[in-house]
Amino acid sequence: MNDFTVSRRHLMTMAGSLALLAAPLLVALGPLARPAFARAVPANLTPQDETDLKRIQDYLNGITTMKAKFQQYSEKGGIAFGTIYLKRPGYIRIEYEPPSPMLIVSDSVSLHYYDPELDQINRVPVSASPLWFLLKDNIELGGDVTVTAFQRSPAAFEISIRQTDDADEGKVILELGDRPLELRQWIVVDQKSEEVRVGLFEAQFGVELDSELFRVPKKKS
């Protein structure tokens, strides 16, 4: 198993499913020095915006488990499909459908990337994922992350979020339906404005998930 100390900035550069990326790209990375980063500028929110954001935050905190199909799209990486299993706090499993054999599993401490074709496992800290805040025990749309834009349309919301102390690293855009609230899609935008979109469908919330789903994958040899 290969271990890497990687900042969110470097992961954002290679954004992938759930912004968790593909293991072969991680192999090229090593520890890099962090320069001084710009702080995120918060959006100018109205009282109604604040009320809706609090409602959305409460909704996200209410998601204990989730199982959903996903479609991932990027201009460079094409289209991929798979299934996401989420158990908060800290646990996630991402299974790609053929021809993409990748498996990504979080054991609440590390993200493990298993490539069965290469029989290779790579690992990065959960905290290095751009969407780390969605796996926290207590999700806050403030503090470590800053809401930099908030848009409302009929029965839908779009929230742009940046790392508070590193605004230059890119952003995550959450798209939710309203009436009722439902997480539908997220977009990871890197420093070069390149996007990876992950859309959810057939999502089930509050379902029972076997703990074996989050067992760290093992190499065949």
Side-chain angles (χ1 to χ4, degrees), residues 21-22 51 62 78 81 96 121 136 156 169 189:
L21 330 167
T51 298
F81 297 88
Y96 282 90
I121 298 176
K136 293 174 63 177
E169 72 175 0
V189 185

Side-chain angles (χ1 to χ4, degrees), residues 28-204:
L29 289 180
L32 298 176
R34 290 175 61 91
F37 297 144
R39 289 184 63 83
V41 178
N44 185 16
L45 302 172
T46 67
Q48 182 61 55
D49 293 339
E50 296 279 6
T51 298
D52 285 332
L53 280 172
K54 177 60 167 59
R55 189 160 58 93
I56 291 168
Q57 179 177 285
D58 290 344
Y59 160 75
L60 294 174
N61 275 304
I63 297 176
T64 55
T65 61
M66 180 187 75
K67 176 183 177 182
K69 299 290 186 180
F70 72 84
Q71 175 178 305
Q72 173 186 317
Y73 171 77
S74 65
E75 293 182 356
K76 289 188 175 181
I79 298 176
F81 297 88
T83 304
I84 293 175
Y85 303 87
L86 173 71
K87 184 178 181 180
R88 296 186 47 249
Y91 294 93
I92 195 164
R93 178 186 179 94
I94 302 173
E95 299 175 352
Y96 282 90
E97 296 178 0
S100 301
M102 285 292 301
L103 173 64
I104 301 173
V105 178
S106 165
D107 59 2
S108 81
V109 176
S110 301
L111 295 170
H112 304 262
Y113 300 77
Y114 177 53
D115 185 337
E117 290 186 346
L118 299 176
D119 195 24
Q120 183 179 57
I121 298 176
N122 295 298
R123 184 174 68 185
V124 297
V126 170
S127 59
S129 166
L131 283 176
W132 65 279
F133 65 92
L134 287 180
L135 300 179
K136 293 174 63 177
D137 185 32
N138 182 37
I139 297 173
E140 291 186 86
L141 298 179
D144 291 338
V145 298
T146 295
V147 174
T148 57
F150 183 73
Q151 297 182 9
R152 179 188 296 102
S153 60
F157 299 105
E158 182 178 288
I159 309 168
S160 296
I161 299 170
R162 293 182 184 268
Q163 186 71 13
T164 297
D165 59 1
D166 191 0
D168 294 334
E169 72 175 0
K171 64 182 177 181
V172 174
I173 302 172
L174 300 180
E175 296 185 2
L176 302 96
D178 195 10
R179 308 189 187 102
L181 279 173
E182 184 176 25
L183 182 61
R184 293 178 176 173
Q185 176 174 260
W186 51 76
I187 306 167
V188 175
V189 185
D190 69 12
Q191 306 97 311
K192 298 179 181 179
S193 297
E194 295 176 355
E195 296 185 357
V196 173
R197 294 175 176 263
V198 178
L200 304 178
F201 57 99
E202 297 180 13
Q204 303 174 56

